[in-house]
Amino acid sequence: ESPQVSMVVTYRPTDVGHDSLLRLLPSRLRPGIRFERITLQPLSKAETARLMSSMLDDQPIGADFATFLHSHTDGIPFAVEETLRLMRDRADIVCLDGEWKQRERSAINVPPTVRDAILEHVQRLSTTAQSLLHIVAVLGSGEGEDILATISDLPLEDTRTGLRQCLESGLLREESSGRLAFRHALASRAVYESIPGVERRRLHQRAGLALENAVPHDPGKLTRHFRESNDHARWAQYAEQAAHLALASGDEMAATFLLYDVVVNADLPANLVVHLVNPISFSAFPNDSYFRNIARALDSALEAGPLGVAEKALARYQLGRMFVALDDYSSAQEQFIMAVPGLEPSSEESVRAMSLLGWPRGTVLDRAAHLSWLDRAAEQMGPSIRSVYDLTSAVNIITARLMLGDEAGWELLGRLPEPSSAREELQKMRAEWNAGDMAMRWGRYAKAREQLTRARQRSVKHGRTRQENEITVSLAHLDWSTGKWDGLAERLENLAHSDLDQGGMSELLCITGLLDFAQGAATKAEPRLLESFRQSQSFGNMENAVEPAAALARIYLANDRVNDAIELTLEGMDSITLKGLWIYATDIVPVRAAALAAIREHKELNTLVMSFAESLADRGAPAAHAALKVTEGILAEAQGRYPHAAGLFAEASQAWQALPRPYDALLAQERESVCLLAAGQDDAAKTKLASTFESLYRLGARGDASRLKKTLRNWGVAARWPGRGGRPSYGNQLSPREADVVRLLIDGRTNRQIADVLVLSTQTVASHLHSAMRKLGVSSRTALAVRASELGMAEPASTPGTHNEADT
């Protein structure tokens, strides 16, 4: 009996001719032999993800990553495998939060094996077919045979013959609309990259000219073709048209980068550079390099000329905006002052320039000048907000008035209309962000949290990652002030690796330094605070340099470097007195008062107290008023009026606690205890100091607690470390917040969705997930969800605020 034999024959249809025996095999088989033809289809998105996972130790694949790779390979297994292998070898992928993701969203390089296979197919075709493939690759999107014939300059019949070869080879496919396109993106890219540079530019020019005559024509496609052909005049023309269409559809980011590209990379006349910069939305830029590049283009335009008076004024106005974005306010003000006379009165540019001149930053203008510019801006703008440009200037005016301690800023904030477009919503985000920061400076912490949380929600909604990071830094600053220190160090460390501008990084360094100092790590705190101070100072942002200067002065005083503290606080006070920014004096005035008391400069100390009190008057700035009580207490103590000083420090402690600002409340209690002891009230002093010591320890201010422990021992009080405060230790059990995060993970939520539900940052969510994986002994998100479900955790998560956890 003959043995049972099975045979499997595989081939790619594009690799064999129509007369091949492989194609004729079914008709040549003897009767009785069973035959089955299996035609393999490209992988679906889900199948692509499973293939990718099998190549990466069965770890989960991020949904965005799987979709991206599927779209570029069209689900062809060989292309998927080779592309993923190349990305892994180049370290273009990383495992985060238990799943594989791309490091950056960018074009995929064609793997050499895929490229060689594709080009081998191309070389088998006729010269006509190859030239048509080049044209399709240059076009980048499906076009009909008439356009291909126009670009190739071939007779229509020759074009059809060549296209038939391309379709039979399997490299091209015909879409339902009759347009021709590559079967997958990698094939198109491989062919495109094989075209010599000179020929590629020629084909782009021909493609642009052919599509220019099409009705209707597509400005986006024309922008690309004339950009690649180095036809700068047409590139600029169609980039502007494409940007207007993008703005009309609400895609501000696309419009911005179309215009940015042509302004920075095309060789354009000076007047055209100035014209194209004006509509750019700078909030879309992810980092400072974009602002610097545009500033260079504007500088070149001003030097090259010739520009008329109006064009030169507009160029200087735009250059001023660049310097504002780079936090170089002194340079910005110089440009705006030169620009305003040449700008049309009541124009968007004139009002915005004046509103920015009202910002009390830089060293060019004093308080009176800032207020004058704000009044002029408001007068030109009028009472109603008619456009996004009016809204932008209104936000500038509100921010400046709040910085200057003007209560009218809060009333103006309440009159801002609800946004009706994406651009207006981004300006509302900026208003809430600035208002949240200023509410924190004023000591209105509940309002600060409300405004900053809304601003962060808008940044997430519109995909503004950098602004989201910076607002998260501001929320961390608020947590520092209000004593929410649990997990703060870890959150600050995560933020240090995120994308931040100069101001955001300076603020982050300041908060980290403040926390280091409170925890007893002065050697780590000092360089961070000094760098924060120098960064703010270098950009003329002196009001934000005040807080790190105050903290540095405290370090100097603790180490008997009184003269250094005097010099540093004087430098910080200069900007406050020049601009009248007493709202920012909350941290530095008490430290300067302590330094003056240490060298017995009682007259200057008294003047400082009087100036501070006079500047605050009846302003609703509770943080500054609490600091005033501390400063008055320091003066009374320096004058030997200890019972009165103790009472003032007690009032200050109560005022701080009411905000709440517990750390400063406890430091005021320490001063009260010292004055009670000096007044002969030993028992009350020791009791108060022992309570302060324990509270500081539980808060997390271990450095201050250590200092008070020594003081208590010197007073004859046996001090012991209390039980650890803050977050309870859960050992190998999930903390309540970790459990909340895991429950939402089981429900299928992404990290971003979990963060939104629990009002956390994505970094904090990732940290909780990693901790939960470690505690439950699993190494992936999927395994964590399965294990947690087995433990019966698939229940609703608790609402935000249930636990004493970070809310950023």
Side-chain angles (χ1 to χ4, degrees):
E1 185 175 326
S2 300
Q4 296 293 318
V5 177
S6 297
M7 180 180 294
V8 178
V9 179
T10 66
Y11 66 92
R12 292 188 180 95
T14 56
D15 289 344
V16 299
H18 290 288
D19 57 350
S20 169
L21 291 177
L22 283 173
R23 295 182 182 273
L24 300 174
L25 185 61
S27 63
R28 303 294 179 88
L29 296 177
R30 293 183 310 182
I33 296 179
R34 190 159 59 94
F35 168 80
E36 184 175 358
R37 183 190 298 274
I38 300 173
T39 302
L40 298 181
Q41 299 298 324
L43 301 178
S44 65
K45 289 181 183 178
E47 290 167 337
T48 299
R50 286 199 291 273
L51 175 58
M52 294 165 66
S53 178
S54 71
M55 296 176 64
L56 296 169
D57 301 323
D58 293 323
Q59 291 283 335
I61 305 298
D64 289 345
F65 181 24
T67 299
F68 183 64
L69 196 62
H70 180 269
S71 68
H72 278 70
T73 61
D74 205 38
I76 297 173
F78 174 64
V80 173
E81 290 180 357
E82 293 301 310
T83 303
L84 185 57
R85 187 172 289 115
L86 177 63
M87 296 181 76
R88 183 179 58 191
D89 292 344
R90 292 167 57 92
D92 289 339
I93 58 175
V94 63
C95 191
L96 292 174
D97 304 338
E99 62 183 25
W100 286 93
K101 303 175 182 179
Q102 287 174 266
R103 287 187 182 276
E104 295 182 5
R105 187 67 176 267
S106 57
I108 290 179
N109 291 321
V110 183
T113 48
V114 175
R115 180 196 62 217
D116 294 345
I118 291 168
L119 296 183
E120 182 184 357
H121 273 67
V122 173
Q123 289 164 7
R124 296 176 193 167
L125 302 177
S126 67
T127 303
T128 298
Q130 289 184 38
S131 66
L132 290 170
L133 281 177
H134 288 177
I135 293 170
V136 176
V138 164
L139 286 168
S141 59
E143 297 292 346
E145 61 182 28
D146 53 338
I147 290 291
L148 297 177
T150 301
I151 298 171
S152 66
D153 206 20
L154 291 170
L156 186 58
E157 189 57 39
D158 289 351
T159 301
R160 288 173 176 168
T161 301
L163 288 176
R164 189 160 49 248
Q165 291 182 34
C166 295
L167 290 167
E168 290 172 353
S169 74
L171 288 166
L172 292 187
R173 68 168 182 262
E174 187 172 13
E175 298 175 341
S176 58
S177 60
R179 297 172 182 268
L180 286 304
F182 276 90
R183 189 162 295 278
H184 58 82
L186 290 181
S188 176
R189 190 172 179 84
V191 172
Y192 183 82
E193 291 174 353
S194 72
I195 307 171
V198 173
E199 176 65 8
R200 193 187 304 166
R201 287 190 291 275
R202 186 187 74 83
L203 288 176
H204 273 295
Q205 182 72 9
R206 290 186 66 87
L209 293 173
L211 293 172
E212 195 175 33
N213 295 321
V215 179
H217 64 234
D218 185 335
K221 291 180 180 180
L222 293 169
T223 298
R224 172 177 173 267
H225 290 305
F226 289 124
R227 180 191 193 281
E228 296 303 323
S229 66
N230 287 337
D231 187 337
H232 291 177
R234 283 191 172 95
W235 173 14
Q237 174 188 346
Y238 290 113
E240 184 175 13
Q241 288 184 22
H244 284 312
L245 288 174
L247 285 175
S249 67
D251 194 347
E252 186 179 57
M253 190 169 293
T256 289
F257 285 104
L258 281 165
L259 295 174
Y260 168 83
D261 188 22
V262 71
V263 164
V264 170
N265 296 311
D267 183 15
L268 300 176
N271 62 330
L272 189 53
V273 169
V274 175
H275 171 71
L276 292 176
V277 167
N278 212 40
I280 291 178
S281 172
F282 303 128
S283 62
F285 290 151
N287 58 58
D288 290 348
S289 65
Y290 291 85
F291 299 110
R292 294 192 183 96
N293 289 338
I294 290 186
R296 279 193 286 270
L298 288 168
D299 264 333
S300 298
L302 283 166
E303 289 177 6
L307 294 172
V309 172
E311 288 174 329
K312 190 173 292 187
L314 187 57
R316 294 201 179 281
Y317 158 74
Q318 292 163 345
L319 195 53
R321 292 175 67 200
M322 295 304 107
F323 287 128
V324 168
L326 293 168
D327 289 332
D328 187 352
Y329 288 92
S330 295
S331 297
Q333 288 165 5
E334 290 172 353
Q335 294 296 330
F336 288 141
I337 289 170
M338 288 189 285
V340 167
L343 296 173
E344 183 182 346
S346 299
S347 65
E348 297 162 0
E349 294 78 16
S350 177
V351 173
R352 190 183 296 184
M354 291 179 180
S355 69
L356 288 169
L357 282 167
W359 274 50
R361 286 184 171 171
T363 57
V364 177
L365 304 171
D366 60 15
R367 179 184 178 84
H370 289 304
L371 288 170
S372 175
W373 282 114
L374 289 175
D375 290 340
R376 289 178 63 182
E379 181 181 351
Q380 285 199 10
M381 187 173 69
S384 63
I385 294 176
R386 301 174 300 276
S387 67
V388 67
Y389 303 102
D390 287 344
L391 181 58
T392 301
S393 295
V395 174
N396 292 340
I397 292 170
I398 289 167
T399 304
R401 291 203 179 278
L402 291 178
M403 292 171 73
L404 290 161
D406 186 350
E407 292 275 2
W410 298 115
E411 193 246 333
L412 292 171
L413 178 69
R415 284 164 38 195
L416 288 182
E418 281 303 306
S420 58
S421 68
R423 298 183 76 190
E424 289 182 7
E425 190 155 15
L426 289 171
Q427 285 305 316
K428 193 66 181 285
M429 176 196 77
R430 191 168 70 91
E432 291 163 343
W433 182 5
N434 291 351
D437 181 70
M438 291 313 305
M440 182 164 46
R441 308 288 181 182
W442 284 56
R444 301 182 180 187
Y445 295 130
K447 188 175 187 67
R449 192 169 299 280
E450 173 194 358
Q451 295 290 320
L452 290 172
T453 301
R454 286 180 182 172
R456 195 180 69 161
Q457 289 169 346
R458 293 189 201 273
S459 70
V460 172
K461 176 181 176 181
H462 292 280
R464 299 304 173 95
T465 303
R466 194 181 208 198
Q467 284 85 350
E468 178 192 354
N469 292 337
E470 290 166 7
I471 295 168
T472 303
V473 170
S474 296
L475 281 161
H477 200 162
L478 181 59
D479 286 342
W480 154 260
S481 298
T482 55
K484 293 190 174 186
W485 295 3
D486 190 18
L488 181 58
E490 291 81 5
R491 282 181 282 134
L492 294 173
E493 175 64 24
N494 287 332
L495 284 166
H497 300 292
S498 61
D499 181 28
L500 297 169
D501 70 3
Q502 188 81 22
M505 184 55 69
S506 176
E507 185 176 11
L508 181 65
L509 283 168
C510 178
I511 308 164
T512 307
L514 289 168
L515 189 61
D516 287 337
F517 184 40
Q519 293 177 335
T523 54
K524 290 168 60 178
E526 185 172 349
R528 284 172 170 159
L529 292 166
L530 187 59
E531 179 62 21
S532 173
F533 173 74
R534 286 174 175 168
Q535 284 186 11
S536 297
Q537 188 183 45
S538 66
F539 284 93
N541 194 350
M542 282 304 299
E543 73 280 3
N544 286 338
V546 169
E547 189 174 10
L552 280 169
R554 281 189 60 208
I555 294 175
Y556 295 161
L557 287 176
N559 291 288
D560 296 323
R561 295 168 58 185
V562 180
N563 288 335
D564 289 338
I566 289 288
E567 183 178 345
L568 186 60
T569 54
L570 176 61
E571 192 172 359
M573 288 299 300
D574 280 346
S575 62
I576 288 173
T577 53
L578 172 68
K579 308 285 187 181
L581 303 180
W582 289 95
I583 293 297
Y584 288 85
T586 297
D587 294 293
I588 201 165
V589 168
V591 183
R592 178 156 181 81
L596 291 172
I599 60 172
R600 300 183 180 280
E601 282 285 353
H602 294 176
K603 183 177 180 181
E604 187 174 346
L605 174 55
N606 185 64
T607 301
L608 177 65
V609 172
M610 291 176 62
S611 298
F612 195 18
E614 182 181 351
S615 70
L616 294 179
D618 58 352
R619 286 195 177 100
H625 282 287
L628 175 60
K629 287 294 180 185
V630 173
T631 310
E632 290 172 341
I634 292 171
L635 175 61
E637 182 183 12
Q639 294 170 339
R641 298 182 292 139
Y642 299 114
H644 182 56
L648 288 168
F649 287 132
E651 290 181 40
S653 180
Q654 292 169 4
W656 286 127
Q657 195 60 52
L659 295 180
R661 193 158 156 171
Y663 182 49
D664 290 279
L666 292 170
L667 294 180
Q669 280 186 21
E670 179 188 356
R671 289 183 178 277
E672 179 191 358
S673 302
V674 172
C675 289
L676 288 173
L677 187 69
Q681 301 178 41
D682 294 15
D683 291 342
K686 293 174 182 178
T687 301
K688 176 75 69 175
L689 195 66
S691 172
T692 305
F693 156 69
E694 183 173 340
S695 296
L696 282 167
Y697 183 85
R698 293 190 185 281
L699 176 64
R702 308 295 162 81
D704 295 283
S706 296
R707 187 186 70 253
L708 265 63
K709 191 170 186 283
K710 293 177 184 177
T711 303
L712 285 167
R713 286 182 176 175
N714 291 338
W715 288 2
V717 178
R720 296 180 180 178
W721 295 117
R724 291 180 62 86
R727 179 185 297 177
S729 176
Y730 296 98
N732 288 325
Q733 301 298 313
L734 298 187
S735 72
R737 183 55 86 215
E738 288 167 351
D740 287 346
V741 170
V742 171
R743 289 187 187 104
L744 290 169
L745 174 70
I746 295 171
D747 195 37
R749 309 289 184 100
T750 64
N751 282 18
R752 165 53 59 201
Q753 291 168 333
I754 295 172
D756 290 343
V757 170
L758 298 178
V759 198
L760 301 172
S761 70
T762 53
Q763 292 98 333
T764 301
V765 170
S767 177
H768 285 316
L769 285 174
H770 282 304
S771 178
M773 288 181 204
R774 175 180 56 79
K775 290 179 179 180
L776 296 185
V778 296
S779 58
S780 72
R781 291 165 61 92
T782 302
L784 175 61
V786 172
R787 179 63 179 144
S789 297
E790 292 172 350
L791 295 173
M793 293 180 61
E795 300 172 1
S798 60
T799 56
T802 302
H803 313 296
N804 183 25
E805 297 271 345
D807 60 356
T808 61

